[in-house]
Amino acid sequence: PAGQDSIVRRDHIVISDDLHIFFSKDRIEAPMGETVLLRVNGQAQTYEWEGEGLVSSNGPTARIAYTGDQEKTLQVKVTGRTGSCSDADSIQVLFTLGPSNDDVCDAMELSGGMNENLTNVYATVQPNEPLPDTTGPNACTEPMKWCNDGGLHNTVWYTIVLPEEGDVSIITSGMDTQIALYEAAACGDILTGDYTLLAANDDYFDAQQDYAAAIMNQEGLTPGQTYWLQL
């Protein structure tokens, strides 16, 4: 209150008679199969886009996509024109594969104890992938529910084979997570709605624990049976 501050950036704005078209970055990364929105900076009357993977273009923006079984870098170029002036810039987009357990039928088996170095970077959402209930004012902390975060994002799958003795607890840490435990006869049944949602949790821990999720002391499961965990 009653305070003030300022910052000075010298040569931050450059005034020029030339047309200047430029990308903010030289290179970006995206998951395989995702449609990427590109936007070029500057002001021109017309724009011409070229390069592999172009889906559409509209003035200073364009969309590109690539689907394959190996990582690939695409280069896209845009030329802006105003009268007799023109300028161009290009950007590289690396399309990379997501985690090996991105899809439910490629789920990674978890072992008892600590499972480390897990990632959902560049993971995608599978068609017909289920989502726990997100309605209600207490969905973030209520059992069998998740916060309403605008749908699924970067989901990965794991399997748990129940040990012969004891119940099951699943505790995440290190990032804001949402988890759900499913029972089904086969992995594909989860995508067709033929499953039972056994447990779901979002913010089990408070902000000091990065809003990590946990499912504690899950009982009534069958020893030796496989269950699927969505994260």
Side-chain angles (χ1 to χ4, degrees), residues 128-208:
N128 300 320
E129 194 167 328
L131 173 68
D133 185 15
T134 60
T135 61
N138 301 315
C140 293
T141 55
E142 191 174 336
M144 301 296 288
K145 292 188 175 184
W146 283 0
C147 290
N148 186 354
D149 290 330
L152 295 171
H153 308 279
N154 302 83
T155 54
V156 288
W157 287 87
Y158 302 93
T159 56
I160 298 172
V161 179
L162 195 69
E164 292 299 322
E165 296 181 359
D167 52 22
V168 170
S169 293
I170 304 161
I171 301 171
T172 66
S173 64
M175 61 182 287
D176 185 0
T177 53
Q178 299 170 307
I179 57 175
L181 187 66
Y182 297 86
E183 180 180 12
C187 59
D189 293 339
I190 295 178
L191 302 178
T192 61
D194 189 13
Y195 63 81
T196 300
L197 177 64
L198 300 176
N201 177 255
D202 196 330
D203 295 340
Y204 188 89
F205 297 102
D206 60 17
Q208 295 180 347

Side-chain angles (χ1 to χ4, degrees), residues 24-139:
S24 300
K25 298 181 179 180
D26 296 328
R27 179 184 174 92
I28 60 174
E29 297 182 3
M32 196 79 70
E34 182 175 288
T35 300
V36 179
L37 175 65
L38 300 178
R39 180 181 295 275
V40 70
N41 300 296
Q43 187 69 33
Q45 291 179 338
T46 62
Y47 298 85
E48 301 170 7
W49 293 82
E50 56 183 304
E52 186 179 357
L54 276 174
V55 176
S56 63
S57 62
N58 182 20
T61 63
R63 297 181 183 274
I64 69 167
Y66 178 78
T67 301
D69 55 6
Q70 293 184 344
E71 293 185 348
K72 186 170 183 177
T73 299
L74 305 184
Q75 182 157 316
V76 179
K77 178 182 178 181
V78 60
T79 301
R81 303 184 190 277
T82 298
S84 60
C85 297
S86 66
D87 191 30
D89 197 12
S90 61
I91 187 171
Q92 290 184 333
V93 182
L94 170 61
F95 284 93
T96 184
L97 296 172
S100 60
N101 58 327
D102 195 358
D103 294 343
V104 61
C105 285
D106 295 322
M108 177 190 302
E109 183 176 347
L110 294 175
S111 58
M114 180 68 72
N115 293 264
E116 298 181 307
N117 301 320
L118 307 180
T119 180
N120 67 339
V121 175
Y122 299 124
T124 58
V125 178
Q126 202 172 356
N128 300 320
E129 194 167 328
L131 173 68
D133 185 15
T134 60
T135 61
N138 301 315

